[in-house]
Amino acid sequence: MRLARRNLTPKGRRFLVSGSLCLSASLILSIFDKDLGLQHAALYDALRGFLLGLAIVFNFAAMRLARNCPQNQP
């Protein structure tokens, strides 16, 4: 399923942006894990997992809203 942003409602766009932000924050935390996570490794693992889970939920919600939105056919 192709998910075009122009076919989404504003609520769906917000979910898509939130999912992308959570995914990028999770990936950034995994890149800087060596520097930041030495003292609190379990906390950073939990935060990364939480952000990754939120990204999955937000992206699925955007897909569900896109399915309910009518397609613009030329």
CSV table of all heavy atoms in Angstrom, one decimal, residues 12-60:
chain,number,residue,atom,x,y,z
A,12,GLY,N,-4.2,12.2,10.2
A,12,GLY,CA,-3.3,11.2,9.7
A,12,GLY,C,-1.9,11.7,9.4
A,12,GLY,O,-0.9,11.0,9.7
A,13,ARG,N,-1.8,12.9,8.9
A,13,ARG,CA,-0.5,13.5,8.7
A,13,ARG,C,0.2,13.7,10.1
A,13,ARG,O,1.4,13.4,10.1
A,13,ARG,CB,-0.6,14.8,8.0
A,13,ARG,CG,-1.0,14.7,6.6
A,13,ARG,CD,-1.0,16.1,5.9
A,13,ARG,NE,-1.7,16.0,4.7
A,13,ARG,CZ,-2.6,16.8,4.3
A,13,ARG,NH1,-3.0,17.8,5.0
A,13,ARG,NH2,-3.3,16.6,3.1
A,14,ARG,N,-0.5,14.1,11.1
A,14,ARG,CA,0.1,14.2,12.4
A,14,ARG,C,0.6,12.9,12.9
A,14,ARG,O,1.7,12.8,13.5
A,14,ARG,CB,-0.9,14.8,13.4
A,14,ARG,CG,-1.0,16.3,13.2
A,14,ARG,CD,-1.9,16.9,14.3
A,14,ARG,NE,-2.7,17.9,13.7
A,14,ARG,CZ,-4.1,17.8,13.7
A,14,ARG,NH1,-4.7,16.9,14.3
A,14,ARG,NH2,-4.7,18.8,13.1
A,15,PHE,N,-0.1,11.8,12.7
A,15,PHE,CA,0.3,10.5,13.1
A,15,PHE,C,1.6,10.1,12.4
A,15,PHE,O,2.5,9.5,12.9
A,15,PHE,CB,-0.8,9.5,12.9
A,15,PHE,CG,-1.8,9.4,14.1
A,15,PHE,CD1,-3.1,9.4,13.8
A,15,PHE,CD2,-1.4,9.3,15.4
A,15,PHE,CE1,-4.1,9.4,14.8
A,15,PHE,CE2,-2.3,9.3,16.4
A,15,PHE,CZ,-3.7,9.3,16.1
A,16,LEU,N,1.6,10.4,11.1
A,16,LEU,CA,2.7,10.0,10.3
A,16,LEU,C,4.0,10.8,10.7
A,16,LEU,O,5.1,10.2,10.8
A,16,LEU,CB,2.4,10.2,8.8
A,16,LEU,CG,3.4,9.7,7.8
A,16,LEU,CD1,3.4,8.2,7.9
A,16,LEU,CD2,3.0,10.1,6.4
A,17,VAL,N,3.8,12.0,11.0
A,17,VAL,CA,5.0,12.8,11.4
A,17,VAL,C,5.4,12.4,12.8
A,17,VAL,O,6.7,12.3,13.1
A,17,VAL,CB,4.6,14.3,11.4
A,17,VAL,CG1,5.6,15.2,12.2
A,17,VAL,CG2,4.5,14.8,10.0
A,18,SER,N,4.5,12.1,13.7
A,18,SER,CA,4.9,11.6,15.0
A,18,SER,C,5.6,10.3,15.0
A,18,SER,O,6.6,10.1,15.7
A,18,SER,CB,3.6,11.5,15.9
A,18,SER,OG,3.0,12.7,16.1
A,19,GLY,N,5.1,9.4,14.1
A,19,GLY,CA,5.8,8.1,13.9
A,19,GLY,C,7.2,8.3,13.4
A,19,GLY,O,8.1,7.6,13.8
A,20,SER,N,7.4,9.2,12.4
A,20,SER,CA,8.7,9.4,11.9
A,20,SER,C,9.7,10.0,12.9
A,20,SER,O,10.8,9.7,13.0
A,20,SER,CB,8.6,10.3,10.7
A,20,SER,OG,7.9,9.7,9.7
A,21,LEU,N,9.1,11.0,13.7
A,21,LEU,CA,10.0,11.6,14.8
A,21,LEU,C,10.4,10.5,15.8
A,21,LEU,O,11.5,10.5,16.3
A,21,LEU,CB,9.2,12.7,15.4
A,21,LEU,CG,9.1,14.0,14.6
A,21,LEU,CD1,8.3,15.0,15.3
A,21,LEU,CD2,10.5,14.5,14.3
A,22,CYS,N,9.5,9.7,16.2
A,22,CYS,CA,9.8,8.7,17.2
A,22,CYS,C,10.8,7.7,16.7
A,22,CYS,O,11.7,7.3,17.4
A,22,CYS,CB,8.5,7.9,17.6
A,22,CYS,SG,7.5,8.9,18.7
A,23,LEU,N,10.7,7.3,15.4
A,23,LEU,CA,11.6,6.4,14.8
A,23,LEU,C,13.0,7.0,14.7
A,23,LEU,O,14.0,6.4,15.0
A,23,LEU,CB,11.1,6.0,13.4
A,23,LEU,CG,12.0,5.0,12.6
A,23,LEU,CD1,12.0,3.7,13.4
A,23,LEU,CD2,11.5,4.8,11.2
A,24,SER,N,13.1,8.3,14.3
A,24,SER,CA,14.4,8.9,14.2
A,24,SER,C,15.0,9.1,15.5
A,24,SER,O,16.2,9.0,15.7
A,24,SER,CB,14.3,10.2,13.4
A,24,SER,OG,13.4,11.1,14.1
A,25,ALA,N,14.2,9.5,16.5
A,25,ALA,CA,14.8,9.6,17.9
A,25,ALA,C,15.3,8.3,18.4
A,25,ALA,O,16.3,8.2,19.1
A,25,ALA,CB,13.7,10.2,18.8
A,26,SER,N,14.6,7.2,18.1
A,26,SER,CA,15.1,5.9,18.5
A,26,SER,C,16.4,5.5,17.9
A,26,SER,O,17.3,5.0,18.5
A,26,SER,CB,14.0,4.8,18.2
A,26,SER,OG,14.5,3.5,18.5
A,27,LEU,N,16.5,5.8,16.6
A,27,LEU,CA,17.7,5.5,15.8
A,27,LEU,C,18.9,6.4,16.3
A,27,LEU,O,20.0,5.9,16.4
A,27,LEU,CB,17.5,5.7,14.3
A,27,LEU,CG,16.6,4.6,13.7
A,27,LEU,CD1,16.3,5.0,12.3
A,27,LEU,CD2,17.1,3.3,13.9
A,28,ILE,N,18.6,7.6,16.6
A,28,ILE,CA,19.6,8.5,17.1
A,28,ILE,C,20.1,8.0,18.5
A,28,ILE,O,21.3,8.0,18.8
A,28,ILE,CB,19.1,10.0,17.2
A,28,ILE,CG1,19.0,10.5,15.8
A,28,ILE,CG2,20.0,10.8,18.1
A,28,ILE,CD1,18.4,11.9,15.7
A,29,LEU,N,19.2,7.6,19.4
A,29,LEU,CA,19.6,7.0,20.6
A,29,LEU,C,20.5,5.8,20.5
A,29,LEU,O,21.4,5.5,21.2
A,29,LEU,CB,18.4,6.7,21.5
A,29,LEU,CG,17.8,7.8,22.3
A,29,LEU,CD1,16.6,7.4,23.1
A,29,LEU,CD2,18.9,8.4,23.3
A,30,SER,N,20.2,4.9,19.4
A,30,SER,CA,21.0,3.8,19.2
A,30,SER,C,22.4,4.1,18.7
A,30,SER,O,23.4,3.4,18.9
A,30,SER,CB,20.4,2.7,18.3
A,30,SER,OG,19.4,3.1,17.6
A,31,ILE,N,22.5,5.2,18.0
A,31,ILE,CA,23.8,5.7,17.5
A,31,ILE,C,24.7,6.2,18.6
A,31,ILE,O,25.9,5.8,18.7
A,31,ILE,CB,23.7,6.8,16.4
A,31,ILE,CG1,23.1,6.2,15.1
A,31,ILE,CG2,25.0,7.4,16.1
A,31,ILE,CD1,22.7,7.2,14.1
A,32,PHE,N,24.1,6.9,19.5
A,32,PHE,CA,24.8,7.5,20.6
A,32,PHE,C,24.8,6.6,21.9
A,32,PHE,O,25.1,7.1,23.0
A,32,PHE,CB,24.3,8.9,21.0
A,32,PHE,CG,24.5,9.9,19.9
A,32,PHE,CD1,23.5,10.6,19.3
A,32,PHE,CD2,25.8,10.1,19.4
A,32,PHE,CE1,23.7,11.5,18.3
A,32,PHE,CE2,26.0,11.1,18.4
A,32,PHE,CZ,24.9,11.7,17.9
A,33,ASP,N,24.5,5.4,21.7
A,33,ASP,CA,24.4,4.4,22.9
A,33,ASP,C,25.7,4.2,23.6
A,33,ASP,O,25.8,4.1,24.8
A,33,ASP,CB,23.8,3.1,22.4
A,33,ASP,CG,23.6,2.1,23.5
A,33,ASP,OD1,23.3,2.6,24.6
A,33,ASP,OD2,23.8,0.9,23.3
A,34,LYS,N,26.8,4.2,22.8
A,34,LYS,CA,28.1,4.0,23.4
A,34,LYS,C,28.5,5.1,24.3
A,34,LYS,O,29.2,4.9,25.3
A,34,LYS,CB,29.1,3.8,22.3
A,34,LYS,CG,28.8,2.8,21.2
A,34,LYS,CD,28.5,1.5,21.7
A,34,LYS,CE,28.3,0.5,20.5
A,34,LYS,NZ,27.0,0.3,20.0
A,35,ASP,N,28.2,6.4,23.9
A,35,ASP,CA,28.6,7.5,24.7
A,35,ASP,C,27.7,7.8,25.9
A,35,ASP,O,28.1,8.0,27.0
A,35,ASP,CB,28.6,8.8,23.9
A,35,ASP,CG,29.6,8.6,22.7
A,35,ASP,OD1,30.6,7.8,22.9
A,35,ASP,OD2,29.4,9.2,21.7
A,36,LEU,N,26.4,7.7,25.7
A,36,LEU,CA,25.4,8.1,26.7
A,36,LEU,C,25.0,7.0,27.6
A,36,LEU,O,24.6,7.2,28.8
A,36,LEU,CB,24.2,8.7,26.1
A,36,LEU,CG,24.4,9.9,25.2
A,36,LEU,CD1,23.1,10.3,24.5
A,36,LEU,CD2,24.9,11.1,26.1
A,37,GLY,N,25.0,5.7,27.1
A,37,GLY,CA,24.4,4.6,27.9
A,37,GLY,C,25.3,3.9,28.8
A,37,GLY,O,25.0,2.7,29.2
A,38,LEU,N,26.4,4.4,29.1
A,38,LEU,CA,27.4,3.6,30.0
A,38,LEU,C,26.8,3.4,31.4
A,38,LEU,O,26.9,2.4,32.0
A,38,LEU,CB,28.7,4.3,30.0
A,38,LEU,CG,29.5,4.3,28.7
A,38,LEU,CD1,30.8,5.0,28.8
A,38,LEU,CD2,29.8,2.8,28.2
A,39,GLN,N,26.3,4.5,32.0
A,39,GLN,CA,25.9,4.4,33.4
A,39,GLN,C,24.5,3.9,33.5
A,39,GLN,O,24.1,3.2,34.5
A,39,GLN,CB,26.0,5.8,34.0
A,39,GLN,CG,27.4,6.3,34.1
A,39,GLN,CD,27.5,7.7,34.5
A,39,GLN,OE1,26.5,8.4,34.6
A,39,GLN,NE2,28.7,8.1,34.8
A,40,HIS,N,23.6,4.2,32.6
A,40,HIS,CA,22.2,3.8,32.6
A,40,HIS,C,21.8,3.0,31.4
A,40,HIS,O,20.9,3.5,30.7
A,40,HIS,CB,21.3,5.0,32.8
A,40,HIS,CG,21.7,5.9,34.0
A,40,HIS,ND1,21.4,5.5,35.3
A,40,HIS,CD2,22.3,7.1,34.1
A,40,HIS,CE1,21.9,6.4,36.1
A,40,HIS,NE2,22.4,7.4,35.4
A,41,ALA,N,22.4,1.9,31.2
A,41,ALA,CA,22.1,1.1,29.9
A,41,ALA,C,20.7,0.6,29.9
A,41,ALA,O,20.1,0.7,28.8
A,41,ALA,CB,23.1,0.0,29.8
A,42,ALA,N,20.1,0.2,31.0
A,42,ALA,CA,18.8,-0.3,31.0
A,42,ALA,C,17.8,0.8,30.7
A,42,ALA,O,16.8,0.5,30.0
A,42,ALA,CB,18.5,-1.0,32.3
A,43,LEU,N,18.0,2.0,31.1
A,43,LEU,CA,17.1,3.1,30.9
A,43,LEU,C,17.1,3.5,29.4
A,43,LEU,O,16.1,3.7,28.8
A,43,LEU,CB,17.6,4.3,31.7
A,43,LEU,CG,16.8,5.6,31.5
A,43,LEU,CD1,15.3,5.4,32.0
A,43,LEU,CD2,17.4,6.7,32.2
A,44,TYR,N,18.3,3.5,28.8
A,44,TYR,CA,18.4,3.8,27.4
A,44,TYR,C,17.7,2.7,26.5
A,44,TYR,O,17.1,3.0,25.5
A,44,TYR,CB,19.8,4.1,26.9
A,44,TYR,CG,20.3,5.4,27.4
A,44,TYR,CD1,21.2,5.6,28.4
A,44,TYR,CD2,19.8,6.6,26.7
A,44,TYR,CE1,21.6,6.8,28.8
A,44,TYR,CE2,20.2,7.8,27.1
A,44,TYR,CZ,21.1,8.0,28.2
A,44,TYR,OH,21.5,9.2,28.6
A,45,ASP,N,17.9,1.5,26.9
A,45,ASP,CA,17.3,0.4,26.2
A,45,ASP,C,15.7,0.5,26.3
A,45,ASP,O,15.0,0.3,25.3
A,45,ASP,CB,17.7,-1.0,26.7
A,45,ASP,CG,19.0,-1.4,26.2
A,45,ASP,OD1,19.5,-0.8,25.1
A,45,ASP,OD2,19.7,-2.3,26.8
A,46,ALA,N,15.3,0.8,27.4
A,46,ALA,CA,13.8,0.9,27.6
A,46,ALA,C,13.3,2.1,26.8
A,46,ALA,O,12.2,2.0,26.2
A,46,ALA,CB,13.5,1.1,29.1
A,47,LEU,N,14.0,3.2,26.8
A,47,LEU,CA,13.6,4.4,26.1
A,47,LEU,C,13.6,4.2,24.6
A,47,LEU,O,12.6,4.5,23.9
A,47,LEU,CB,14.4,5.6,26.4
A,47,LEU,CG,14.1,6.9,25.8
A,47,LEU,CD1,12.7,7.3,26.3
A,47,LEU,CD2,15.1,8.0,26.2
A,48,ARG,N,14.6,3.5,24.1
A,48,ARG,CA,14.6,3.1,22.7
A,48,ARG,C,13.5,2.2,22.3
A,48,ARG,O,12.9,2.4,21.2
A,48,ARG,CB,16.0,2.5,22.3
A,48,ARG,CG,17.0,3.4,22.0
A,48,ARG,CD,18.2,2.7,21.5
A,48,ARG,NE,18.5,1.5,22.3
A,48,ARG,CZ,19.6,0.8,22.3
A,48,ARG,NH1,20.6,1.1,21.5
A,48,ARG,NH2,19.8,-0.2,23.1
A,49,GLY,N,13.2,1.2,23.1
A,49,GLY,CA,12.2,0.3,22.8
A,49,GLY,C,10.8,1.0,22.8
A,49,GLY,O,9.9,0.7,22.0
A,50,PHE,N,10.6,1.9,23.8
A,50,PHE,CA,9.4,2.6,23.9
A,50,PHE,C,9.2,3.5,22.7
A,50,PHE,O,8.1,3.6,22.1
A,50,PHE,CB,9.4,3.5,25.2
A,50,PHE,CG,8.1,4.3,25.3
A,50,PHE,CD1,6.9,3.7,25.6
A,50,PHE,CD2,8.2,5.7,25.2
A,50,PHE,CE1,5.8,4.5,25.8
A,50,PHE,CE2,7.1,6.5,25.4
A,50,PHE,CZ,5.9,5.8,25.7
A,51,LEU,N,10.2,4.2,22.2
A,51,LEU,CA,10.1,5.1,21.1
A,51,LEU,C,9.9,4.3,19.8
A,51,LEU,O,9.1,4.7,18.9
A,51,LEU,CB,11.4,5.9,20.9
A,51,LEU,CG,11.5,7.1,21.9
A,51,LEU,CD1,12.9,7.7,21.8
A,51,LEU,CD2,10.4,8.1,21.7
A,52,LEU,N,10.5,3.1,19.7
A,52,LEU,CA,10.3,2.3,18.5
A,52,LEU,C,8.9,1.7,18.5
A,52,LEU,O,8.2,1.7,17.4
A,52,LEU,CB,11.3,1.1,18.5
A,52,LEU,CG,11.4,0.3,17.3
A,52,LEU,CD1,11.8,1.1,16.1
A,52,LEU,CD2,12.4,-0.8,17.5
A,53,GLY,N,8.3,1.4,19.7
A,53,GLY,CA,7.0,0.9,19.7
A,53,GLY,C,6.0,2.0,19.4
A,53,GLY,O,5.0,1.8,18.7
A,54,LEU,N,6.2,3.2,19.8
A,54,LEU,CA,5.4,4.4,19.5
A,54,LEU,C,5.4,4.6,18.0
A,54,LEU,O,4.4,5.0,17.4
A,54,LEU,CB,5.8,5.6,20.2
A,54,LEU,CG,5.3,5.8,21.7
A,54,LEU,CD1,5.9,7.1,22.2
A,54,LEU,CD2,3.8,5.8,21.7
A,55,ALA,N,6.6,4.5,17.4
A,55,ALA,CA,6.7,4.7,15.9
A,55,ALA,C,5.9,3.7,15.2
A,55,ALA,O,5.2,4.0,14.2
A,55,ALA,CB,8.2,4.6,15.5
A,56,ILE,N,5.9,2.4,15.6
A,56,ILE,CA,5.1,1.4,15.0
A,56,ILE,C,3.6,1.7,15.1
A,56,ILE,O,2.8,1.6,14.1
A,56,ILE,CB,5.4,0.0,15.5
A,56,ILE,CG1,6.8,-0.4,15.1
A,56,ILE,CG2,4.4,-1.0,15.1
A,56,ILE,CD1,7.4,-1.6,15.8
A,57,VAL,N,3.2,2.1,16.3
A,57,VAL,CA,1.8,2.4,16.5
A,57,VAL,C,1.3,3.6,15.7
A,57,VAL,O,0.2,3.6,15.1
A,57,VAL,CB,1.5,2.6,18.1
A,57,VAL,CG1,0.2,3.2,18.3
A,57,VAL,CG2,1.7,1.3,18.8
A,58,PHE,N,2.1,4.7,15.7
A,58,PHE,CA,1.7,5.8,15.0
A,58,PHE,C,1.6,5.6,13.5
A,58,PHE,O,0.7,6.1,12.8
A,58,PHE,CB,2.7,7.0,15.2
A,58,PHE,CG,2.4,7.7,16.6
A,58,PHE,CD1,3.5,8.1,17.3
A,58,PHE,CD2,1.2,7.9,17.1
A,58,PHE,CE1,3.3,8.7,18.6
A,58,PHE,CE2,1.0,8.5,18.3
A,58,PHE,CZ,2.0,8.9,19.0
A,59,ASN,N,2.6,4.8,12.9
A,59,ASN,CA,2.6,4.5,11.5
A,59,ASN,C,1.4,3.6,11.1
A,59,ASN,O,0.8,3.8,10.1
A,59,ASN,CB,3.9,3.9,11.1
A,59,ASN,CG,5.0,4.9,11.0
A,59,ASN,OD1,4.7,6.1,10.6
A,59,ASN,ND2,6.2,4.6,11.3
A,60,PHE,N,1.1,2.7,12.0
A,60,PHE,CA,-0.1,1.9,11.7
A,60,PHE,C,-1.4,2.7,11.8
A,60,PHE,O,-2.3,2.5,11.0
A,60,PHE,CB,-0.2,0.7,12.6
A,60,PHE,CG,0.6,-0.5,12.2
A,60,PHE,CD1,1.4,-1.2,13.0
A,60,PHE,CD2,0.5,-1.0,10.9
A,60,PHE,CE1,2.2,-2.3,12.6
A,60,PHE,CE2,1.2,-2.1,10.5
A,60,PHE,CZ,2.0,-2.7,11.3
